Amino acid sequence: QVQESGGGSVQAGGSLTLSCATSGGGAYVSNCMAWFRQVPGKGREGVASMGTDGNALYADSAKGRFTLSKDNAANILYLQMDDLKPEDTAMYYCTLDSWRSCTYSRPNWSYWGRGTQVTISS
């Protein structure tokens, strides 16, 4: 099970921290964890990913503003989002899979949460 939290409404320039908690399955199912986002009428866009080596990858839209971190003991992935812009407004989804080679650009993720809404006002 994948559960996101931390979304909300903030003004441009503000910050939010999203959390992704996982439960069930073996530890291997969360070898690779990522955040995607989606706006109505568009496909899901990869934002950032992190593998078991702790190496984080970021989409160009996230570089310099978003930071991934992980609590390995609790298996919770965090996405710290700073300097938020109206174009960051979207439903944010956490996803995970067992891949050892971890990147958000991989297709066909196995497990998805229901999402948490982020709304940025100008």
Side-chain angles (χ1 to χ4, degrees), residues 48-65:
S49 58
M50 179 178 282
T52 54
D53 59 2
N55 184 41
L57 297 176
Y58 300 95
D60 287 344
S61 60
K63 287 178 182 176
R65 299 187 301 125

Side-chain angles (χ1 to χ4, degrees), residues 31-37 45-70 77-81 92-93 95 99-107 109:
N31 281 346
C32 183
M33 299 178 72
W35 287 97
F36 281 68
R37 65 187 183 185
E45 171 194 18
V47 175
S49 58
M50 179 178 282
T52 54
D53 59 2
N55 184 41
L57 297 176
Y58 300 95
D60 287 344
S61 60
K63 287 178 182 176
R65 299 187 301 125
F66 294 2
T67 304
L68 276 176
S69 61
K70 188 176 180 184
L77 183 70
Y78 300 99
L79 182 66
Q80 171 72 36
M81 304 187 295
Y92 283 70
Y93 296 91
T95 183
W99 304 312
R100 291 193 175 275
S101 178
C102 185
T103 170
Y104 59 83
S105 61
R106 296 192 70 149
W109 292 74

Side-chain angles (χ1 to χ4, degrees), residues 20-23 27 30 33 52 69-78:
C20 173
T22 66
S23 61
S30 57
M33 299 178 72
T52 54
S69 61
K70 188 176 180 184
D71 181 336
N72 288 312
N75 209 29
I76 299 174
L77 183 70
Y78 300 99

